Amino acid sequence: MLTGTAAFAALATPAFAQDSQATTPAQEPAATTAPAPEVDAPTTAEDDSANDIVVTGSLFRRENAQTALPVTVITSDSLVKAGITNTADAVRQAAADGAGSIGVGFTSGFSAGGSAVSLRNLGVSSTLLLVNGLRSANYPLSDDGHNSYADLTSIPQVNVERIEVLKDGASSLYGADAIGGVVNIITRKQFRGIEGGAEGGLSQKGDGEKYRVKLLGGIGDYGNRGWNLYVGGEYEKNGKITANSRGFPFNTLDLRAIGGRDNNRADDTLTTPTPNAVVTRVTQTDLNNPLAGSVANATSPAIFTSLTPLDQCRFGTFSENTSSRVGTACAHDLTREYVEILPPQERYAGVARFSVRLGDSIEGYVEGSYSHNRVDITLPPRGIRQTQAFGGSPTTSTSNPGIVLPVYICSSGVNCATAADRQLNPNNPYAAAYANDPANGAARIYYLFGDVKAGSVRKNELYRLTSGLRGTIAQNWDWRVDVGYSRDNLDLKQTGFANLNGLVKAINTGSYNFVNPELNSQAVRDSVLPAITSLSDSTEFTVDGSVRHSLFELPGGPLQVAVGGQYRKEKLNNRSANPNLDVPGLSTAQAFGNRDVWAGYFEISAPVLDTLELTASGRYDDYSEGFSHFSPKASFKFQPIRQIALRGSYSEGFRAPTFAENDPRSSFSGFVGYNPGTASPAFKAAHINNAGYYANYSVGRGYVGNPNIEPETAKSITLGGVFEPTRWLQFTADYFHVKKSNLIVTGPLAGKAIDAYYSVAGQTFASAADAAAAGCALVAAVGAGYSCNVIDAADPFALNALPRLLVLNAPYVNANYDIVEGLQFTAAANVPITDAIKLRSRLDVQETIKYDRHLDNGDVQRFTGTVGPADLSSGGGTPKWRGNWQNTLDVGRFSLTATTYFVGAMKGVATDQGNLDTSCAATIYKDANGGNSFCRIKSFVYADLNATLDVTKDFSFFVFVGNVTNTRAPLYANTLYTTQPNYLASWHIPGLVGRTYRSGFNFRF
């Protein structure tokens, strides 16, 4: 699909193009300014009497919307011509969207299923989303466990008039979280008639099907009768795309064929769990407790037995025959079997608005919307061996020392070794031989629950209701009051996790069939792996009002002043899916909060000369949690001649702590991939007899809300110009520099702490416990708040060696600062070749010159052009260049649009993972020879093609070809997020999907 750049090329319409019916010459987005906390939208065919508009970033109406701020304007007409079907796709293609951007393709993230934009690389929690100038309730799940954002996928598109993207700090008018900029989605004020459309398509591979219908109808002549009512709805369904369908290298972690490593341990290592259970004999210290299995194996070498008959292995077998392990088991490639590139998704939404003129000088409106978004995510199956839930007792861990199958089972599952109805365990191949010695006949099990789908179904419902009045007093005092309420309800159903009590009982009773899991009844599966449903919600209530007035005339026009106030009530109930801590391995992330925010703001516009306009604004916010902030801003526009306008701004802003960050009831633990064998050759050498122990795994990091956290602050400078050498050509260039201080960070030294732990791997210890104690002492020395939370069981094949670190405690702190600077370029040309033939060309490009994080200890983490910050969102990295170029040829009733997208090259290094080096020597993924041949991630360029035929003035037909050249995504050997096998979900999804086809029609009458 033509993800949204088409629109963004239309951004090359400055703020003039805010009226989708207008046909002004070359118009550029960055030269624009868009509406402020105001619901005023551009005039439509139903209401063309007003010539003035309000643009985001200002409170004032004006004829010329080209002000001092860089704003991208995406009109509804642009969306239709580009074939863009949802708001998320439109916004996320902006060149200003950078590091931390969230797409639906990241299925294993905390807030999987949501979508958000990160302007200027400053993060989704530093980019403010507005709908008609009012905030919307945040997605109830936080990105990375603590970053809040409003979900783009839940905003209906059927009544969108335009989208304005302000690429500049805007806390002086909008308050917290507008450090990176503002996305303001503006809906139609009135509509009369009926319009709609339908479309369908699929990928060249025959999957990823897409269907969409929309309908909008309205009655009432607002101009003559003083009222208008419209209602509408839309439905969209997208099919799944699996990793296996896209072939090598996106369907496996085994890159030996191209000189890489084999990180798929499920076809060569007996201790790697798969859906076919493997066991080895150990002792059991408590015959009533399957968690009391010994770490040490009963034999040397350890003998492993497959519970699945080897002739029934679907993908063949493999064998190990070493001094440590002997056995044969079923082979698997779990990536190929289970991973999805895109999950199936279904969306439907409804909208309605009633506008009424209450008198000669008063207007009112009521608007509502409902959106339902369902995402069905499938992940690789969960293992029977899991660490305890974060905050739970280590005695509930099924991996430390390890879960076992006993010799005897019984109907009660209690004290089976002596029960009257005891019987030998059919799941334990050693049971018969050790019937008289059950303590030495336990079977340690390695297994994934492949008979139950692992994943989640996320149903998100967003309700919005807004109303307002606006009018004029004494002919020159304009006032407005808006009230908005929104609620986001999330129903999260997770499957594939074993409940500890149910699992223990099933093992002791023998009810779960590990030999042939397909024979398990649904009742047994439900008792062991019940679906886990958690309900979360967030709400936002806003009352906002302002008044504006022209005081007196200056040489360049009237001096205007506007003042306003706002009250907000924000609530969050993000309930833990694991409140009883009885599901090992399941996240315990939770966040709660309830606060009141009072604010007052002002803006002054002073056109001191015909060629010079100065603007100043400021806002004071007071939070019930005990902190407050004043945010000033000043800007100028100097236009000595029509062809040149110079502009600039200085602003200060802040990001308020999220409820996950500052409420002590909130907590979360996250996991990031780590390869101890690569990071520590000494650790690999100590565990050389157990490849699974030093292979890539996930390290957990736990955090709890800190009520003493303070807001982040930012200072921004933007300088640039708008150049219009001819009536049909316009381009802009802007430089921006942002210093974001007092960062709210989760364990900024976590990478160093992990490295510190593994630094003792080469030393000699009396036991694994002593080794762990030495490693944990070094972790604590890294800084306050750092400590070991969970240590893995000792390696059965190296009982005195350093065990793995499973979970690290790390603090929320205000620390460090970011420096982000870059250049933004746009260009637009509307070339009238003949009366019947026109060429429109639009360009949107951003270069990130610098994205540096300065740590308190003096270290600098440099992210530009790398996959860092890897701990942010999907670890998508920070491309130095992003851009899109759209060209449209209009020939009579026929229109052909080609949009080219560009993502720059990157390196596979991340300086937030313990190494500050940005050269290829620091490549996270080493090739088979330990070299850096996988360092470079190539640039990615692809193009979409859309052809539209206006059959009549009211009916058009289109054909769309996405990724028309079928360009493949560049290879990125991703060891940090293995559910994105060898690609970056933030930037390269179209290269995974490949060529797509869609066709449809649009009508209006």
Side-chain angles (χ1 to χ4, degrees):
M1 95 175 122
L2 208 188
T3 37
T5 17
F8 273 89
L11 90 176
T13 26
F16 318 133
Q18 315 220 26
D19 183 344
S20 62
Q21 268 69 38
T23 56
T24 55
Q27 300 170 340
E28 158 285 331
T32 351
T33 358
E38 188 133 60
V39 186
D40 290 305
T43 58
T44 67
E46 294 300 315
D47 178 14
D48 60 0
S49 60
N51 294 318
D52 295 348
I53 58 173
V54 179
V55 205
T56 302
S58 174
L59 298 175
F60 300 119
R61 304 177 73 88
R62 63 187 74 226
E63 291 185 11
N64 181 0
Q66 188 182 46
T67 65
L69 307 178
V71 176
T72 293
V73 178
I74 310 167
T75 66
S76 58
D77 183 61
S78 303
L79 299 175
V80 171
K81 285 192 166 85
I84 298 168
T85 62
N86 60 67
T87 306
D89 286 337
V91 175
R92 289 193 65 250
Q93 290 304 317
D97 184 26
S101 178
I102 302 174
V104 176
F106 186 49
T107 56
S108 61
F110 282 94
S111 59
S115 182
V117 62
S118 169
L119 294 178
R120 291 183 168 181
N121 303 296
L122 293 175
V124 296
S125 60
S126 292
T127 300
L128 181 61
L129 176 68
L130 304 174
V131 180
N132 292 327
L134 297 175
R135 295 180 183 235
S136 183
N138 284 328
Y139 192 61
L141 299 186
S142 301
D143 177 43
D144 287 330
H146 67 106
N147 290 316
S148 296
Y149 66 90
D151 178 28
L152 286 169
T153 61
S154 297
I155 306 299
Q157 186 180 320
V158 65
N159 67 331
V160 169
E161 176 69 32
R162 70 189 187 274
I163 301 171
E164 297 175 342
V165 182
L166 171 60
K167 300 173 289 187
D168 197 26
S171 290
S172 65
L173 290 181
Y174 303 109
D177 314 331
I179 291 173
V182 177
V183 175
N184 194 7
I185 299 167
I186 298 169
T187 61
R188 304 186 192 210
K189 289 181 68 176
Q190 297 97 36
F191 175 77
R192 188 172 62 174
I194 297 178
E195 71 175 27
E199 62 185 86
L202 70 172
S203 77
Q204 184 170 284
K205 296 277 188 179
D207 56 6
E209 63 275 11
K210 183 181 184 71
Y211 307 101
R212 183 174 186 257
V213 294
K214 62 177 182 178
L215 186 66
L216 184 69
I219 58 174
D221 185 340
Y222 190 83
N224 294 321
R225 301 178 62 185
W227 66 273
N228 179 261
L229 170 68
Y230 70 71
V231 295
E234 61 187 9
Y235 175 83
E236 181 176 333
K237 185 174 184 179
N238 300 298
K240 71 177 180 181
I241 295 178
T242 65
N244 190 47
S245 68
R246 293 313 185 254
F248 185 85
F250 306 117
N251 65 345
T252 184
L253 301 181
D254 182 357
L255 297 181
R256 289 175 296 172
I258 53 176
R261 293 176 176 268
D262 181 7
N263 281 334
N264 172 35
R265 298 271 73 93
D267 62 357
D268 62 9
T269 305
L270 291 165
T271 55
T272 298
T274 75
N276 299 106
V278 172
V279 295
T280 185
R281 188 169 66 85
V282 297
T283 61
Q284 185 177 4
T285 58
D286 180 355
L287 298 182
N288 196 44
N289 183 9
L291 304 181
S294 170
V295 171
N297 293 289
T299 61
S300 181
I303 308 299
F304 286 78
T305 303
S306 171
L307 297 189
T308 301
L310 297 177
D311 60 357
Q312 296 179 20
C313 294
R314 292 176 55 202
F315 306 105
T317 64
F318 71 93
S319 298
E320 276 195 274
N321 188 4
T322 69
S323 59
S324 301
R325 288 189 297 274
V326 173
T328 301
C330 298
H332 285 270
D333 189 326
L334 301 174
T335 302
R336 181 177 286 113
E337 295 170 41
Y338 296 101
V339 170
E340 292 178 342
I341 292 171
L342 286 176
Q345 185 173 15
E346 182 180 42
R347 294 178 57 253
Y348 54 84
V351 300
R353 178 175 172 121
F354 178 68
S355 301
V356 61
R357 186 181 300 118
L358 300 175
D360 293 339
S361 60
I362 301 179
E363 296 178 305
Y365 76 94
V366 177
E367 181 171 350
S369 67
Y370 167 78
S371 176
H372 177 98
N373 185 28
R374 183 181 188 273
V375 182
D376 189 348
I377 295 172
T378 298
L379 297 170
R382 325 282 187 187
I384 193 173
R385 295 166 59 85
Q386 296 282 348
T387 58
Q388 75 268 21
F390 178 67
S393 168
T395 60
T396 61
S397 168
T398 59
S399 64
N400 185 8
I403 195 162
V404 298
L405 307 178
V407 169
Y408 287 106
I409 59 173
C410 61
S411 59
S412 67
V414 179
N415 297 323
C416 291
T418 58
D421 64 343
R422 74 176 188 176
Q423 56 181 297
L424 293 176
N425 189 348
N427 290 311
N428 184 343
Y430 317 117
Y434 287 86
N436 296 322
D437 188 11
N440 288 307
R444 183 196 293 124
I445 183 170
Y446 298 86
Y447 174 64
L448 300 178
F449 290 99
D451 59 327
V452 175
K453 174 205 165 187
S456 62
V457 175
R458 299 164 185 251
K459 299 177 183 178
N460 191 45
E461 294 181 309
L462 178 63
Y463 303 83
R464 282 184 54 86
L465 180 64
T466 59
S467 63
L469 294 171
R470 65 205 57 246
T472 302
I473 301 175
Q475 296 185 341
N476 59 0
W477 288 86
D478 296 325
W479 61 271
R480 62 163 188 85
V481 176
D482 294 295
V483 179
Y485 174 82
S486 57
R487 180 182 177 96
D488 196 324
N489 292 335
L490 179 68
D491 182 324
L492 173 58
K493 180 180 179 181
Q494 300 186 75
T495 54
F497 284 101
N499 175 277
L500 185 61
N501 296 327
L503 177 60
V504 168
K505 184 175 182 179
I507 288 175
N508 283 344
T509 61
S511 62
Y512 189 93
N513 189 333
F514 291 99
V515 176
N516 188 353
E518 293 182 0
L519 299 181
N520 287 314
S521 67
Q522 189 60 47
V524 167
R525 290 172 178 151
D526 290 344
S527 68
V528 178
L529 302 108
I532 300 169
T533 299
S534 54
L535 304 176
S536 297
D537 60 82
S538 68
T539 59
E540 180 89 28
F541 174 72
T542 304
V543 179
D544 191 285
S546 68
V547 60
R548 59 196 177 200
H549 179 58
S550 297
L551 295 179
F552 51 82
E553 288 294 319
L554 293 173
L559 176 72
Q560 299 183 81
V561 175
V563 295
Q566 185 181 88
Y567 167 76
R568 298 201 315 274
K569 164 71 79 173
E570 300 176 345
K571 293 183 180 181
L572 173 66
N573 294 294
N574 174 18
R575 299 171 179 88
S576 171
N578 197 2
N580 299 322
L581 308 181
D582 57 354
V583 183
L586 177 60
S587 171
T588 61
Q590 59 185 15
F592 300 93
N594 182 353
R595 66 186 172 205
D596 299 289
V597 184
W598 295 88
Y601 54 88
F602 73 89
E603 183 180 11
I604 301 172
S605 174
V608 294
L609 300 171
D610 288 338
T611 57
L612 178 62
E613 181 180 0
L614 303 178
T615 304
S617 57
R619 175 173 170 135
Y620 179 81
D621 289 87
D622 183 75
Y623 282 70
S624 58
E625 292 142 310
F627 58 86
S628 58
H629 197 273
F630 176 70
S631 305
K633 182 170 186 174
S635 62
F636 75 90
K637 184 185 75 170
F638 176 59
Q639 190 166 11
I641 58 176
R642 183 189 63 80
Q643 292 85 356
I644 298 176
L646 304 178
R647 63 188 182 186
S649 67
Y650 168 81
S651 63
E652 297 181 9
F654 74 108
R655 179 178 83 80
T658 67
F659 291 131
E661 294 166 339
N662 73 351
D663 194 301
R665 297 172 295 171
S666 304
S667 65
F668 87 95
S669 59
F671 291 83
V672 176
Y674 185 81
N675 194 312
T678 298
S680 173
F683 185 86
K684 178 178 180 180
H687 299 275
I688 195 64
N689 292 322
N690 191 351
Y693 206 84
Y694 61 78
N696 193 75
Y697 77 109
S698 294
V699 180
R701 309 174 187 197
Y703 314 94
V704 176
N706 179 359
N708 296 319
I709 283 291
E710 298 177 354
E712 296 179 347
T713 59
K715 296 181 179 180
S716 303
I717 297 174
T718 301
L719 294 171
V722 183
F723 309 94
E724 190 175 355
T726 70
R727 289 287 185 180
W728 53 265
L729 174 64
Q730 184 184 75
F731 58 91
T732 71
D734 290 280
Y735 164 81
F736 65 88
H737 179 282
V738 182
K739 182 178 181 180
K740 187 178 178 184
S741 303
N742 216 31
L743 300 183
I744 301 173
V745 294
T746 52
L749 302 177
K752 181 171 288 189
I754 294 171
D755 286 345
Y757 176 85
Y758 282 101
S759 68
V760 306
Q763 301 177 26
T764 301
F765 295 95
S767 68
D770 289 342
C776 290
L778 293 181
V779 169
V782 167
Y786 292 90
S787 63
C788 297
N789 183 286
V790 181
I791 303 297
D792 200 359
D795 179 359
F797 304 97
L799 294 175
N800 297 332
L802 180 72
R804 292 187 300 188
L805 172 65
L806 296 183
V807 180
L808 171 79
N809 289 325
Y812 277 114
V813 296
N814 287 110
N816 317 328
Y817 63 91
D818 285 345
I819 297 291
V820 182
E821 62 181 54
L823 296 171
Q824 294 168 332
F825 306 96
T826 66
N830 289 349
V831 185
I833 299 174
T834 70
D835 290 343
I837 302 175
K838 295 181 181 179
L839 174 66
R840 289 173 287 152
S841 183
R842 300 178 175 93
L843 180 71
D844 178 25
V845 176
Q846 176 169 301
E847 178 191 10
T848 299
I849 299 172
K850 179 186 295 184
Y851 180 6
D852 292 350
R853 176 156 297 168
H854 295 253
L855 307 185
D856 280 2
N857 63 2
D859 290 343
V860 179
Q861 298 173 342
R862 306 185 191 281
F863 300 131
T864 303
T866 76
V867 295
D871 286 349
L872 180 65
S873 298
S874 59
T878 308
K880 184 177 179 64
W881 289 94
R882 275 204 77 200
N884 55 76
W885 183 27
Q886 182 187 60
N887 291 278
T888 299
L889 183 66
D890 294 319
V891 182
R893 293 183 174 181
F894 178 77
S895 175
L896 181 66
T897 299
T899 308
T900 301
Y901 304 87
F902 174 78
V903 178
M906 288 178 274
K907 295 179 183 178
V909 302
T911 55
D912 60 337
Q913 298 304 299
N915 190 339
L916 298 178
D917 187 5
T918 59
S919 74
C920 282
T923 301
I924 298 173
Y925 180 93
K926 302 295 183 181
D927 61 31
N929 299 317
N932 305 315
S933 59
F934 285 81
C935 175
R936 304 275 177 189
I937 306 167
K938 296 180 180 179
S939 60
F940 180 46
V941 182
Y942 71 100
D944 294 339
L945 198 64
N946 190 58
T948 302
L949 177 64
D950 293 330
V951 181
T952 69
K953 67 182 182 66
D954 296 322
F955 182 88
S956 63
F957 177 80
F958 72 88
V959 175
F960 174 80
V961 182
N963 192 358
V964 65
T965 58
N966 202 28
T967 303
R968 292 264 283 178
L971 171 68
Y972 165 50
N974 195 343
T975 63
L976 299 176
Y977 297 94
T978 54
T979 53
Q980 301 175 44
N982 304 318
Y983 65 88
L984 289 170
S986 292
W987 317 120
H988 297 156
I989 288 293
L992 275 296
V993 175
R995 186 181 291 118
T996 60
Y997 304 94
R998 265 190 300 128
S999 62
F1001 62 87
N1002 294 293
F1003 64 87
R1004 174 170 179 170
F1005 57 86

